[in-house]
Amino acid sequence: FYVDHTTGSVIPLGTYSVTNYIPVHANDILEFTNPSNGSQLAYYDEDFTYVSGVSSRTNTGIIVPNDDSIKYMRWCFETANKPGVTIRRTGVNNVEKVLTINTGIGLLQGLKNAYAGGYTKVNVEAGVYDVITEYQTMYGASYFDDYAANYNNLANGVFDYGLWIDGIDIIFEPGAKVTAHYTGANVNAINDFSPFAVGSNGSITGLVLDSSNLRYGIHPDFHPNIYEHVVFDNCDIKHVGPSGRNRAIGSGLGIHSDWLIKNCIFRTASEAGVVAIHNNDNAALSKVIIKDCYIDGPGKFIIQYHGASTDVTNVLITGCSYEIEPELVAAKPEDVNVNM
């Protein structure tokens, strides 16, 4: 495939491949390694609509146009000669470093490398990534069967919650898929471990996830006393969890939580909530936007009040398609504003 720099369209071509949508800003400097002739590049706005393009990426100092509508880029490359890219943010002293993960490295080791190297963006190449196997390889074959209560007591740090995303934007290229099917019976692993866990800041784009017999597909770990900003974009998630936890995304909101869930598909075979947002204590000024998502099956969005907070959480659900209307489950429904 290649990307047409005049339209932004992706067109079949046997010897070339195309990246996923990679976040950029106006005036960013793109420094490529191994540039190859004919590797076109296209820019897109926040709705992934084509804006402009570059006909041939043959140098290492392309500057993103001075156009604030540009939010993403895609480029094509010779499949056998994939370039890397460093994105330098103009007016900012630090370099926005991009790390590429492949199946040879794995997600678990790759993310550990990203944190150790100070990377802020991670690209995941095509291939199947088995979370269960990766954890068993790194921490031992009995990792899940021996999993202790309370997130394994964090014996291995935050990665005992799941693949940890905090301060990192992770982008999955087309053809990348993550699986996580636990076949054991340890209730601690089933009730506490999720394939992905998100801290106070980060984004997941392009994720295709198929998981079962674990807590949630994605578990953003709410932080009661700090600002939390998380984005889930263009994800396709199927998660079959234990009773009451059949959630593609499930978590509570901390103080000043700001969530954006857009362009996602959630697959479910039951009426359990595929996305469950809980208004925890101290959820002041929190907001959740669920935009242009689709539920394949009889699942539903659940907005659930929890705890003793008297603060109001605002939830906007717009442009979504679902078989069952979103449901507000609240001890005090007036503390959650849901707009559809």
Side-chain angles (χ1 to χ4, degrees), residues 45-115:
D45 65 15
E46 64 180 1
D47 295 317
F48 306 103
T49 300
Y50 171 77
V51 176
S52 62
V54 176
S55 61
S56 183
R57 180 183 48 74
T58 58
N59 63 352
T60 60
I62 293 176
I63 299 177
V64 177
N66 185 22
D67 183 342
D68 288 336
S69 71
I70 293 175
K71 303 299 181 184
Y72 299 95
M73 71 171 179
R74 301 181 81 176
W75 79 83
C76 57
F77 53 89
E78 293 174 316
T79 304
N81 186 31
K82 181 176 181 180
V85 62
T86 295
I87 302 175
R88 296 187 181 273
R89 183 69 27 85
T90 56
V92 180
N93 291 328
N94 64 310
V95 175
E96 193 167 41
K97 302 172 67 177
V98 181
L99 176 70
T100 297
I101 293 175
N102 57 36
T103 53
I105 300 170
L107 283 172
L108 179 55
Q109 184 62 60
L111 286 169
K112 286 180 173 287
N113 293 347
Y115 290 113

Side-chain angles (χ1 to χ4, degrees), residues 30 37 45 49 135 162 167 170 175 189 207 259 264 273 284 303 323 333 337:
L30 310 177
N37 291 330
D45 65 15
T49 300
Y135 269 79
I170 184 168
L207 170 66
W259 284 25
C264 293
I303 316 301
E323 294 184 19
N337 291 332

Side-chain angles (χ1 to χ4, degrees), residues 1-3 13-20 22 32-41 57 74-84 100 123-126 173-174:
F1 292 87
Y2 74 94
V3 60
L13 181 62
T15 59
Y16 276 74
S17 299
V18 178
T19 68
N20 204 337
I22 298 174
F32 293 90
T33 60
N34 300 325
S36 58
N37 291 330
S39 300
Q40 301 180 62
L41 182 152
R57 180 183 48 74
R74 301 181 81 176
W75 79 83
C76 57
F77 53 89
E78 293 174 316
T79 304
N81 186 31
K82 181 176 181 180
T100 297
N123 287 342
V124 181
E125 292 187 341
E173 296 184 359

